[in-house]
Amino acid sequence: MFDSGFGGLTVARALIDLMPNEDLVYVGDTGRYPYGPRDLGEVRDFALEITEHLLRNHDVKMVVVACNTASAAALDELKKITPVPVIGVIEPGAAALLGASRNGRVGVIGTVGTIGSGAYQRAVTQHNAGVELSCAACPGFVEFVERGETDSEQVHVLAERLLAPLVDADVDSLLLGCTHYPFLARTISDVMGRDVVLVDSADATAFCVSDLLREANALRGDTDRGGVHRFESSGDVEAFRALGRQLLGPELDEVVGLTWPESGN
Ligand code: DGL
């Protein structure tokens, strides 16, 4: 699985909890984060490069794109060219959002790349649920998370400004359409109000992964050892270990450095 940085750890947590016996390789592309403001073509190239690395060097049986921006940019292509199943976070997230709403007014927040791609607008339309969807990009949120600053006055001020259109739209459920945002859930909930249900794609994605593995007869059942969890980062390895461990938990013990020869990193 991969993300631009720490965000995908929200999905990793759900995967480890649901499937403790599975081995996991997590790539945090912190050397090239944030993905959100980049051209989608560039993000697509990063996603292809990381997937190639996971297949070649780790012989993975499935790839989880634990990043909305990369899912928006590359999921369709990855599904076509990758010899193992590839799962993104957008479709599971959209389904969870629709399941949570009572009044039919729903919201999605994400990076500039994700919201601008129209991927959520398409995913929600496909469900034909007749809901009113409001979307907002939240530039800056990811940078706060990557700095480990999830509860500061500054992030609160930014959230009040960026979330105002969704408060005005009176949504009753809000999808955190960027895997970094669950780390800001407290701030987002303070701004949106306690009645608004915050939905994230982590659990829904983990259930999709386990269903798919079960159908393919590839789920590791009870074994006498738990899964092995490996973490790799293209940025500062020590910084990834320190903050990653705080965000994910004790499974993140060691971090291996990565470089991307193709792009020169
Ligand atoms: N966590 C990622 C997402 O879900 C990307 C954040 C970023 O690098 O901008 O979109």
Side-chain angles (χ1 to χ4, degrees), residues 48-139:
L48 296 185
E49 188 174 34
I50 298 170
T51 301
E52 174 64 29
H53 160 73
L54 289 170
L55 289 166
R56 198 180 46 233
N57 298 320
H58 297 295
D59 193 23
V60 297
K61 62 182 173 184
M62 177 182 281
V63 176
V64 181
V65 184
C67 171
N68 290 263
T69 314
S71 297
L75 191 66
D76 291 345
E77 181 160 358
L78 284 174
K79 280 186 166 171
K80 263 186 234 143
I81 64 174
T82 308
V84 298
V86 183
I87 289 199
V89 283
I90 290 181
E91 176 44 42
L97 174 68
L98 296 176
S101 180
R102 290 143 295 155
N103 74 4
R105 280 191 296 278
V106 298
V108 176
I109 53 175
T111 66
V112 169
T114 300
I115 300 301
S117 74
Y120 272 108
Q121 292 86 330
R122 284 192 294 280
V124 166
T125 307
Q126 263 167 25
H127 281 267
N128 237 336
V131 296
E132 196 181 305
L133 171 67
S134 306
C135 294
C138 295

Side-chain angles (χ1 to χ4, degrees), residues 178-252:
C178 168
T179 52
H180 281 70
Y181 296 177
F183 294 124
L184 300 174
R186 188 197 307 217
T187 298
I188 294 170
S189 181
D190 281 350
V191 173
M192 293 305 299
R194 298 283 170 218
D195 290 345
V196 175
V197 180
L198 300 187
V199 180
D200 78 61
S201 49
D203 286 338
T205 302
F207 281 114
C208 281
V209 170
S210 83
D211 288 349
L212 227 94
L213 288 176
R214 191 170 298 111
E215 277 161 29
N217 236 344
L219 194 61
R220 283 182 78 179
D222 291 339
T223 56
D224 50 7
R225 68 162 180 90
V228 174
H229 309 124
R230 178 184 168 98
F231 296 86
E232 301 181 340
S233 166
S234 59
D236 181 332
V237 168
E238 203 27 61
F240 195 90
R241 201 193 87 86
L243 182 57
R245 193 175 171 83
Q246 195 181 311
L247 295 173
L248 178 91
E251 290 87 354
L252 201 159

